[in-house]
Amino acid sequence: MAHIKISAAPSIRRLPSYLHVVRQHRMMGGEFISGTLIARELNLEPIQVRKDLAITGITGKPKKGYPKEALIAAIEGFLGWNSPEDAVLVGVGNLGTALMGYQAFRYHGLRIIAAFDKNPHKIGSTVHGIPVLDVLTMDTQIRRSGVKIAILTVPSVSAQEAANTLTAAGIEGIWNFTNVKLKVPDQVAVQKEDLSSGYALLRVSMQTNRLIGEKWG
Amino acid sequence: MAHIKISAAPSIRRLPSYLHVVRQHRMMGGEFISGTLIARELNLEPIQVRKDLAITGITGKPKKGYPKEALIAAIEGFLGWNSPEDAVLVGVGNLGTALMGYQAFRYHGLRIIAAFDKNPHKIGSTVHGIPVLDVLTMDTQIRRSGVKIAILTVPSVSAQEAANTLTAAGIEGIWNFTNVKLKVPDQVAVQKEDLSSGYALLRVSMQTNRLIGEKWG
């Protein structure tokens, strides 16, 4: 993984939710959307919203806000979501199957064109319209298609081996849903998805609510 | 949702990964683990690690680091992961099934005791050893068991109705995997899981790597 610190990571994490809100307001009247409105819908501070959006290069107009279409274009452009990007998925278990059917990916320019598995009962089938291919052919298929993104949903024990095959075949970005810290060449980006993070926040929020309840209830 | 801003949210998000590293080093020799070692394993700055860990109330000793057992206890205590917490899951589709089999939850004191679905073919079965019950009995079952956490993996169209039933039955925290912004009473905590956030970070990392490649390659 490239040893780059993305200091704007929390801001980048929020960009998809801004995009979602602006798209929802696209159909409604008016050319502009205010940062305050976006902030209210997402329960954030307006100053935070303006700072986050600034990293995409856009600035709002006083008293008017952001031109909706320009804002959508700025976020999509910054994230690279304006051009569709193909991806493969490795490991067609429950999580893999769920991700293959995840509707939201379509709005983010992410198109899963093939999945790989080693189970003969799965190979040759389609899941949510996506073909499941033999993992032994993965290297060849990735080289031929030129796909650059892989979603990794194999069991932990197979994660590093799969990552090795993927990077050797030319994959530039791995979205890692396993709990393995992958060793990959510097030029390959890895985003590790850790569901525990969200659960940590939930528990702390619940504890905070309980304390407030005890104090004021 | 309680309108509390958790300014430490990014730090809280990182706590589970610290816990994971310290637990891995538990078996190895030595009473202490250094912040620098933790930082190196997670590709973070040491100062960031020390700041993050400080919110749990622990401070390291100069030149020694953190006592491993005390550090584990501090993180678990802060997150409320030291005592097992029961949860129910609503919506036994692909994602729900994947989460019911997610091994890591066991290490976070999260125990899914029952799942609910409306599909007659699923009701009465067990998934990963967890019973699937009729969603029509959900209110009664939650009241009787006293469970406080619900994991929501229903289709979007059913999300708000399920949330209404959950909060009426006494649920205090909803881990929301749907793309619906739920309306719930103030005292109920909601953590919305948005897979798009991780994908946004992956794409930006890939773009950064490509720019570096063009410049230096």
Side-chain angles (χ1 to χ4, degrees), chain B residues 67-204:
Chain B
K68 290 178 191 170
E69 294 305 322
L71 182 52
I72 290 172
I75 299 174
E76 287 186 343
F78 180 81
L79 296 176
W81 289 2
N82 44 358
S83 56
E85 183 97 16
D86 290 344
V88 293
L89 181 140
V90 195
V92 188
N94 285 314
L95 183 58
T97 301
L99 295 179
M100 288 165 82
Y102 197 61
Q103 303 295 323
F105 288 161
R106 284 188 295 169
Y107 299 103
H108 306 147
L110 178 67
R111 191 168 47 191
I112 303 175
I113 57 168
F116 296 95
D117 205 282
K118 65 174 185 181
N119 184 335
H121 298 291
K122 293 179 181 172
I123 296 167
S125 71
T126 62
V127 173
H128 298 296
I130 300 163
V132 180
L133 311 174
D134 189 339
V135 74
L136 294 175
T137 69
M138 188 161 76
D139 181 89
T140 319
Q141 303 269 8
I142 289 174
R143 285 177 199 271
R144 190 160 57 197
S145 63
V147 64
K148 297 299 177 201
I149 295 181
I151 303 171
L152 195 60
T153 49
V154 296
S156 298
V157 65
S158 310
Q160 185 59 54
E161 191 188 339
N164 295 347
T165 306
L166 290 168
T167 53
I171 287 290
E172 292 177 4
I174 299 176
W175 199 4
N176 177 18
F177 284 84
T178 79
N179 63 4
V180 175
K181 187 165 180 271
L182 301 172
K183 292 179 184 62
V184 299
D186 269 359
Q187 71 275 16
V188 177
V190 176
Q191 176 63 34
K192 192 166 179 302
E193 211 56 51
D194 185 359
L195 292 176
S196 312
S197 295
Y199 180 58
L201 275 176
L202 177 67
R203 287 298 295 271
V204 173

Side-chain angles (χ1 to χ4, degrees), chain A residues 41 80 108 181 196 203, chain B residues 41 80 108 172 181 196 203:
Chain A
E41 294 222 355
H108 305 146
K181 187 165 180 272
S196 313
R203 286 298 293 273
Chain B
E41 293 222 356
H108 306 147
E172 292 177 4
K181 187 165 180 271
S196 312
R203 287 298 295 271

